[in-house]
Amino acid sequence: MAIIALVSAKGSPGVTTSALACALAWHRRLVVAECDPAGGSILAGYLGGQLDGPRGIGELAVGELRDGNLESAFWSQLVDLDAPRRERLLLPGLVDPAQSGSVTPLWQRFADYFDALDRGTPGYDVLVDCGRLHVTGPPWPILRAASVVLLVTRAHLPDLSGTRAVVTAIERDFAEHRVPPGTLRLLLVGDGHGRAEISRALKLPIIARLPHDPRTAGVLALGGTVRAGRPLMRAASALEVPIGALLERRRARLAWPVQQGVPDAV
């Protein structure tokens, strides 16, 4: 089990749509956490605002700052996306971005808690929508704790130009905080330049490309029936395989014994 984080450079390249598509298509037991400081959208969009009362990370943050009750309150703030199975759970994001001031001091607390969810019974992976990196109070501790970070970008030149700067910023931060190498990957969305060309230009491996599928993207953004056979959902389902392979390689690398005087393998 692991934290899998999605983040973008700017604009709307489809971080939330990609995260939600993966959550609905994968076979893993998942908690989808909307940790975008600019606010969440799944509750009002895909779920159509049909829940009674406030729920989500904002409520958790207020309770944690007041009472330190994250462990006892966490599960009551989740929404079952596949009720009543409790295999695909949503932690809704902020309703009002002005609430981000309550959440920002707790990113490390949330990162530690998400990291421990695999040790529960049952265990859960956590798929985190981190939104855009260049906002006030980005969730850096969650990105550093993630086993896989997917930098979501469209494949056109203006998007790639902004993505290059974000790659540099993330790699610099990860080096400073000793994040294991091989964590960061590109996730392309839609048409545009070829994978090999982009990978060479940004000096970063591409894990997959999600197709342009406006019909499915509209359902994921505004609600409706998600059809597993649609191009976006098929590609999201297939993404589970390389993600799983990356996680297995990381687990194996972290399990290698470190001998005295021998540098860590990379």
Side-chain angles (χ1 to χ4, degrees):
M1 301 293 178
I3 298 174
I4 303 161
L6 291 84
V7 67
S8 70
K10 63 178 182 178
S12 301
V15 174
T16 301
T17 299
S18 300
L20 184 54
C22 290
L24 297 175
W26 289 4
H27 296 89
R28 298 170 177 274
R29 188 178 289 109
L30 287 168
V31 172
V32 185
E34 286 191 289
C35 294
D36 184 348
S41 60
I42 296 177
L43 200 60
Y46 176 68
L47 294 179
Q50 298 178 5
L51 297 180
D52 295 330
R55 195 182 303 187
I57 197 167
E59 296 299 304
L60 278 180
V62 170
E64 176 66 11
L65 290 172
R66 183 183 61 236
D67 305 319
N69 66 347
L70 178 59
E71 285 81 2
S72 60
F74 180 78
W75 297 98
S76 67
Q77 294 299 318
L78 302 182
V79 180
D80 193 343
L81 296 175
D82 195 19
R85 302 172 63 185
R86 296 191 66 81
E87 293 182 355
R88 309 173 198 273
L89 302 172
L90 168 69
L91 177 63
L94 296 172
V95 176
D96 182 354
Q99 298 173 320
S100 62
S102 299
V103 177
T104 299
L106 296 174
W107 286 136
Q108 185 62 59
R109 178 78 170 96
F110 285 124
D112 294 340
Y113 188 80
F114 293 163
D115 189 51
L117 285 179
D118 69 322
R119 295 188 287 276
T121 305
Y124 285 83
D125 283 342
V126 185
L127 189 63
V128 187
D129 174 1
C130 293
R132 292 171 295 165
L133 188 64
H134 293 317
V135 294
T136 302
W140 277 111
I142 292 176
L143 294 172
R144 295 166 192 149
S147 296
V148 179
V149 175
L150 302 180
L151 178 52
V152 183
T153 181
R154 299 192 185 277
H156 298 289
L157 187 58
D159 303 278
L160 296 172
S161 177
T163 300
R164 184 193 300 273
V166 172
V167 170
T168 301
I170 293 175
E171 290 182 335
R172 182 185 301 117
D173 181 89
F174 281 8
E176 291 175 356
H177 290 86
R178 299 182 180 274
V179 175
T183 299
L184 184 61
R185 293 289 188 274
L186 289 172
L187 176 62
L188 303 182
V189 175
D191 303 325
H193 293 279
R195 290 178 53 157
E197 180 184 7
I198 294 172
S199 184
R200 286 195 301 271
L202 298 182
K203 297 181 176 59
L204 195 65
I206 294 171
I207 196 163
R209 186 174 208 144
L210 300 181
H212 179 63
D213 183 357
R215 181 182 300 179
T216 304
V219 170
L220 294 173
L222 300 175
T225 301
V226 176
R227 302 189 182 280
R230 294 290 303 169
L232 176 56
M233 299 307 296
R234 292 200 307 269
S237 178
L239 180 57
E240 186 176 10
V241 175
I243 290 290
L246 267 180
L247 295 177
E248 289 302 320
R249 287 200 294 272
R250 173 157 180 169
R251 290 188 187 102
R253 181 171 61 244
L254 295 177
W256 288 341
V258 179
Q259 301 178 18
Q260 187 173 2
V262 178
D264 293 350
V266 296

